[in-house]
Amino acid sequence: MQAGLAGVPVFKLYGEGSDWPTVDLLHCETISSRSQLYGWEIERHRHSDLWQLLYVRRGPAELYVEGQHTRLEQPAIQLVPALSVHGFRFHADIEGYVLTLAAPLVSWLQQELGVCAPVLQQPHCFPVARGGHYLDSLFAAIAEEYANPAPGRDVLLRSLVCALLVWLSRQLPQGEGPAERPERGSQHLQRFGALLEKHYREHWAVSRYAHQLGVSTAYLNGVCRRQTGHTALQLLHQRLLLEAKRLLVYTTLNVNQIADQLGFSEPAYFIRFFKRLTGQTPRSLRQP
């Protein structure tokens, strides 16, 4: 956990540290699996680079998202974009799922979804008046695939999430666009994240990112620290490390090939980088 704006904590997953806990670009769990650990109440917090979809199949539940309080008695899906302050209170009989999407996956989804992409931009609560059986099947399929890795897993999970977001986008009133623009610091963080996703393999210096954004290096680092609790360089390293783990788990590339694919000048430099951030060597991650 890192201190955030106005004392609102910033988590990866609620109650956990700053490390993303999986090599996947999404995380799926039942609502009860985490909330029961905290007395069925998730206190207000933010995620700097994660989007969440909360599917309440059976409530009641109370949602607090960006100052708006919603009490759910009927099935609904709450979308929580990155940086949105949110908290939840659940009944012990709650049923449903929490789907968390990492920024690289969201970036890919925005490109793939086209006209449906705006659904990801603002918090929104979607009543599930119709389509409950479809959504039950969709979330169950995501949860099953997430829990039981099999060949083609990454492709199938992306396809299932795409189907979910297309369904959500069709529930928005026609012509409804994004609400108010985010504040300036959040805009710069979003633009930095988009640039990082394009160029992290090129090992740009933080000063180059700042120049591309038209801000100073000190300003960019300040925005990153305030919004995420990390420096710009730490965010760059986190992205490289996540991709390294994915290549180690999901491909047969050797360490030298992975180092080259990630832009490291020498494999030894990559190995030192990996060990410094994880405490283990790349090869040890592959060992059962």
Side-chain angles (χ1 to χ4, degrees):
M1 182 183 74
Q2 303 288 337
L5 292 175
V8 177
V10 179
F11 291 105
K12 280 298 183 182
L13 297 180
Y14 184 82
E16 298 186 11
S18 59
D19 293 331
W20 180 237
T22 172
V23 298
D24 295 296
L25 296 179
L26 62 80
H27 181 272
C28 182
E29 63 185 2
T30 62
I31 294 174
S32 61
S33 64
R34 187 171 300 265
S35 61
Q36 65 181 337
L37 302 176
Y38 299 96
W40 305 103
E41 182 169 2
I42 304 298
E43 296 184 358
R44 70 178 192 143
H45 63 287
R46 297 183 301 132
H47 305 287
S48 62
D49 56 358
L50 302 174
W51 280 247
Q52 288 193 316
L53 291 155
L54 181 82
Y55 178 31
V56 178
R57 294 185 64 244
R58 185 177 74 171
E62 293 185 65
L63 317 180
Y64 303 87
V65 182
E66 286 294 288
Q68 183 170 349
H69 174 212
T70 304
R71 179 174 175 82
L72 295 181
E73 300 286 352
Q74 301 297 325
I77 294 178
Q78 174 69 54
L79 170 67
V80 183
L83 299 175
S84 301
V85 177
H86 60 287
F88 309 123
R89 181 180 292 118
F90 303 111
H91 190 274
D93 292 332
I94 191 74
E95 292 182 9
Y97 297 93
V98 180
L99 183 61
T100 304
L101 312 178
L105 176 57
V106 171
S107 178
W108 179 86
L109 287 165
Q110 288 172 328
Q111 295 178 30
E112 294 296 311
L113 290 170
V115 295
C116 298
V119 73
L120 288 163
Q121 295 179 11
Q122 297 294 332
H124 198 94
C125 189
F126 300 84
V128 182
R130 294 179 296 173
H133 293 301
Y134 174 71
L135 292 174
D136 286 349
S137 299
L138 199 52
F139 272 94
I142 293 171
E144 175 69 17
E145 192 66 25
Y146 183 79
N148 300 287
R153 178 175 188 250
D154 192 55
V155 173
L156 182 53
L157 283 172
R158 287 177 186 242
S159 299
L160 292 168
V161 174
C162 271
L164 172 60
L165 292 174
V166 169
W167 187 91
L168 292 176
S169 72
R170 291 176 177 176
Q171 312 312 306
L172 288 172
Q174 195 166 22
E176 180 173 313
E180 61 188 48
R181 297 176 65 187
E183 57 99 6
R184 186 165 173 262
S186 296
Q187 285 183 317
H188 281 131
L189 182 64
Q190 290 171 6
R191 290 174 58 203
F192 172 59
L195 274 177
L196 187 156
E197 194 58 31
K198 289 181 181 178
H199 301 290
Y200 69 90
R201 291 181 178 89
E202 300 168 40
H203 295 243
W204 280 13
V206 173
S207 58
R208 185 170 180 181
Y209 283 100
H211 177 74
Q212 290 290 318
L213 294 170
V215 301
S216 70
T217 302
Y219 174 83
L220 178 58
N221 270 316
V223 166
C224 291
R225 276 201 175 99
R226 288 194 303 275
Q227 300 276 10
T228 74
H230 298 284
T231 65
L233 184 61
Q234 286 172 326
L235 295 177
L236 287 166
H237 286 174
Q238 286 176 9
R239 183 62 186 98
L240 273 169
L241 181 63
L242 174 60
E243 198 63 23
K245 289 179 177 179
R246 287 174 56 74
L247 291 171
L248 286 164
V249 170
Y250 287 120
T251 76
T252 58
L253 296 175
N254 62 40
V255 171
N256 290 4
Q257 291 170 319
I258 291 173
D260 182 64
Q261 192 166 126
L262 293 178
F264 287 88
S265 56
E266 294 188 9
Y269 178 31
F270 167 63
I271 293 170
R272 288 196 299 271
F273 167 85
F274 193 93
K275 190 171 183 179
R276 176 166 57 84
L277 268 64
T278 67
Q280 60 181 329
T281 65
R283 285 190 176 90
S284 67
L285 184 70
R286 279 182 163 163
Q287 293 173 355

